[in-house]
Amino acid sequence: MKSYDVAIIGSGPGGYVAAIRCAQLGMKTAIIEKYSTLGGTCLNVGCIPSKALLSSSHHYEEATKHFEDHGIEIPGEIKVNLEKMIARKQAVVDQTIGGIDFLMKKNNIDVYEGLGSFKDATHIKIDGKDAGEIEAKNTIIATGSKPSNLPFIKLDKERIITSTEALKLKEVPKHLIIIGGGVIGLELGQVYRRLGAEVTVVEYMDRILPTMDAGLSKELNKVFKKAKCKMMVSHKVQSVERKGDEVIVKAENKKGEVVEFKGDYCLVSVGRRPYTDGLNAEAAGVKINERGQVEVNDHLQTSTKNIYAIGDVVRGAMLAHKAEEEGVFVAETLAGQKPHIDYNLIPGVVYTWPEVAAVGKTEEELKEDKVEYKVGQFPFRALGRARASGDIDGFVKILADKTTDEVLGVHMIGARCADLIAEAVTAMEFRASAEDISRYSHAHPTFAEAIKEAALAATDDRALHA
Ligand code: FAD
Ligand code: NAD
């Protein structure tokens, strides 16, 4: 039986990054993945394929709606070839997965294909292509998550689907009904709206993106409405039924009336649940809590001393970069270092267009915590760069402590915000004040100038261009 310093179960961004960092730190490392491809949800059916389709559909929308504004005329009809678009997405996924295979080899990490399950705290059984057993001094559980469902919905995976099927549809839906106005619903809703589907978003809470700053929800809701999506907030779904090629969704509105939506596809995107099926965690004494998460302490250590857990399977945001940070954290802990993660500074991004991005506290959280704060906000439409490219929707909002001026939260919606948020994370990591940001130079003309202007607005209400 082969023996390792560390075995990692699951090869998503948490698991494969943990494996690389363990190997870099000199540990003999194995990674076990039940599927034939590495990369987990993120690479196979999550971040990468969804962003490929968002990019392709964005190009289509630009070509059909905005090229003319720029004086570009395309003679004849511009058409979508969905089969080719999905094939391109798959090629991007395959190439990215190939990169992980390369990294495993480069770092001398042994890869086992098969379902990993605990025999005890130091032995893992592998069922599948590389069947057998290995011994590991330490194990990192990185088994990720799967889509959640509502108890009364029968997912047939043909017309009543999750994000996994929505990434490989064979036709553009005529009417896509989306249950859940969170990240997945809005990203994939925008993909199919751009490609020509009628889109209805049915959200239980009184706003889309209910965990983000309300200002962002409001602005993105406007964008979706402008694109003629039906945004049905405060609607509680009661039933989803398929009749032939038709899907009927019934939901109760605020007044207690039952509203019916008829479409040809229904995407259920009501969150994801931690995944520990088949892991046999109890054989190793690893506790799973009532929410299905592997229970961990501040060191990401489970109830069994030599077993750690990271990523979507533990508490916190279900984000690839959060899983990666935790992978590095555990590897460095095992090597005797003292790493640190500031969970308040893990940014959240929605890759719609305009993009939505945030870090730190929302206004709602600051009010709840009774923190006195000031607000500096700057609209993209006041920027030369935004007008030049035609991307004028959105704003940057900076929340700073009323007394110390320390930046407590940055919330933005607009072109390239997914990348702009990195400046806010850096500033907050170094505990910058709004005045600090307002005093360093931002290249002109850029979208980043909105951050400087919002900082000026927060400092003394002295934005220069508004
Ligand atoms: P996962 O990526 O879920 O990987 C877990 C792996 O463990 C899987 O490969 C699974 O097969 C394997 N496994 C499970 N049990 C066993 C076992 N017993 N034995 C062997 N292998 C096992 N996040 C972002 O930050 N940005 C985005 O843009 C983004 N977009 C997304 C889009 C979609 C459509 C979805 C669904 C998710 C998206 N996410 C995004 C979330 C992101 O994919 C997850 O947060 C991330 O993949 C979590 O990483 P992980 O390593 O914890 O788990
Ligand atoms: P989510 O938590 O973002 O959104 C789920 C939405 O469904 C919420 O708005 C919630 O109020 C709503 N909802 C719940 N029950 C409902 C009901 N009965 N009826 C109507 N609405 C209901 O979850 P998601 O969009 O499924 O995404 C899952 C996870 O994947 C998220 O945690 C997210 O972090 C991650 N993800 C991230 C990205 C990104 O970073 N860009 C992209 C996709 C997914």
Side-chain angles (χ1 to χ4, degrees):
M1 188 190 313
K2 271 194 133 181
S3 207
Y4 293 91
D5 294 319
V6 57
I8 293 146
I9 308 180
S11 72
Y16 85 74
V17 167
I20 294 171
R21 190 72 189 115
C22 285
Q24 282 176 344
L25 290 164
M27 290 172 239
K28 192 170 174 217
T29 307
I31 190 161
I32 306 162
E33 170 55 55
K34 68 174 185 162
Y35 290 126
S36 58
T37 54
L38 300 179
T41 305
C42 174
L43 271 63
N44 290 277
V45 291
C47 325
I48 301 302
S50 58
K51 267 79 256 180
L53 291 183
L54 277 158
S55 292
S56 299
S57 60
H58 192 187
H59 287 316
Y60 175 65
E61 184 167 79
E62 286 290 299
T64 48
K65 296 204 174 132
H66 303 301
F67 274 11
E68 238 182 302
D69 303 342
H70 291 266
I72 304 166
E73 289 168 11
I74 303 178
E77 199 190 345
I78 304 167
K79 280 200 251 169
V80 171
N81 181 334
L82 186 65
E83 197 182 335
K84 207 165 166 184
M85 198 179 277
I86 301 276
R88 176 194 175 270
K89 171 220 76 176
Q90 197 52 44
V92 172
V93 167
D94 294 346
Q95 202 185 18
T96 314
I97 289 167
I100 308 299
D101 293 336
F102 164 79
L103 291 172
M104 295 301 105
K105 283 199 190 89
K106 183 186 159 202
N107 288 286
N108 296 316
I109 295 160
D110 285 352
V111 177
Y112 292 90
E113 183 184 327
L115 180 83
S117 59
F118 285 105
K119 281 192 81 176
D120 57 40
T122 49
H123 293 86
I124 303 163
K125 185 169 162 262
I126 300 161
D127 286 307
K129 186 169 156 270
D130 299 323
E133 191 177 323
I134 60 169
E135 186 183 38
K137 274 192 219 138
N138 298 290
T139 297
I140 304 174
I141 301 171
T143 49
S145 63
K146 290 276 179 214
S148 301
N149 191 12
L150 300 175
F152 50 85
I153 301 180
K154 189 177 171 300
L155 294 164
D156 64 17
K157 301 200 174 179
E158 276 176 17
R159 292 196 175 265
I160 305 173
I161 58 177
T162 69
S163 54
T164 303
E165 295 75 47
L167 292 167
K168 52 182 183 193
L169 289 184
K170 294 211 161 32
E171 59 178 354
V172 174
K174 290 186 194 69
H175 181 188
L176 175 63
I177 303 166
I178 297 172
I179 304 180
V183 200
I184 291 182
L186 297 174
E187 287 186 356
L188 294 177
Q190 195 170 59
V191 166
Y192 285 107
R193 178 69 200 121
R194 287 168 175 163
L195 300 182
E198 192 187 322
V199 169
T200 300
V201 176
V202 187
E203 166 59 48
Y204 174 71
M205 302 295 279
D206 61 1
R207 61 182 173 100
I208 56 168
L209 299 177
T211 55
M212 295 189 93
D213 192 277
L216 300 179
S217 304
K218 202 172 151 198
E219 188 75 8
L220 193 65
N221 202 59
K222 267 199 249 164
V223 172
F224 270 68
K225 276 190 154 169
K226 207 162 115 190
K228 298 200 163 47
C229 293
K230 282 202 194 86
M231 307 303 283
M232 313 305 293
V233 295
S234 301
H235 276 67
K236 187 176 174 202
V237 174
Q238 290 182 330
S239 67
V240 178
E241 204 190 331
R242 177 169 170 186
K243 279 193 185 148
D245 286 350
E246 193 175 59
V247 182
I248 301 155
V249 175
K250 286 187 185 156
E252 192 185 305
N253 68 14
K254 261 204 289 204
K255 294 182 204 149
E257 299 156 347
V258 176
V259 192
E260 192 176 275
F261 306 98
K262 285 185 178 168
D264 53 344
Y265 286 86
C266 172
L267 167 63
V268 181
S269 48
V270 293
R272 293 177 63 84
R273 64 172 176 89
Y275 182 74
T276 52
D277 299 4
L279 187 63
N280 203 22
E282 52 290 1
V286 171
K287 273 197 198 123
I288 311 280
N289 68 23
E290 65 289 348
R291 302 179 67 188
Q293 297 158 331
V294 176
E295 192 74 39
V296 286
N297 63 17
D298 288 349
H299 303 284
L300 295 165
Q301 196 173 30
T302 70
S303 44
T304 301
K305 223 170 75 207
N306 65 323
I307 301 177
Y308 294 75
I310 59 172
D312 281 10
V313 81
V314 302
R315 82 285 178 274
M318 288 184 164
L319 295 173
H321 43 288
K322 178 257 193 187
E324 290 189 30
E325 294 301 335
E326 291 183 335
V328 169
F329 179 98
V330 172
E332 293 181 352
T333 301
L334 289 173
Q337 299 181 8
K338 301 236 174 316
H340 173 71
I341 298 174
D342 186 345
Y343 285 97
N344 184 44
L345 296 187
I346 305 264
V349 174
V350 189
Y351 294 81
T352 46
W353 197 265
E355 292 173 336
V356 183
V359 63
K361 302 287 183 201
T362 63
E363 283 205 56
E364 293 72 31
E365 285 169 334
L366 291 176
K367 278 179 194 147
E368 207 180 303
D369 295 348
K370 301 205 165 31
V371 176
E372 286 205 277
Y373 66 96
K374 48 190 182 161
V375 183
Q377 187 161 321
F378 190 82
F380 277 104
R381 65 176 61 246
L383 287 182
R385 184 71 188 84
R387 282 196 303 275
S389 75
D391 292 302
I392 53 170
D393 288 332
F395 59 81
V396 173
K397 176 162 87 173
I398 294 184
L399 308 175
D401 188 284
K402 201 165 188 174
T403 318
T404 65
D405 197 34
E406 180 175 352
V407 178
L408 303 174
V410 180
H411 306 276
M412 47 175 84
I413 172 166
R416 304 188 194 174
C417 283
D419 295 292
L420 293 183
I421 199 68
E423 178 182 342
V425 176
T426 311
M428 288 179 71
E429 190 68 57
F430 288 94
R431 301 197 62 179
S433 63
E435 186 180 351
D436 287 331
I437 298 178
S438 77
R439 284 191 180 276
Y440 54 76
S441 175
H442 288 69
H444 174 77
T446 57
F447 289 97
E449 285 175 290
I451 299 178
K452 182 183 173 110
E453 292 277 6
L456 279 166
T459 310
D460 267 330
D461 195 17
R462 59 183 181 93
L464 293 163
H465 294 89

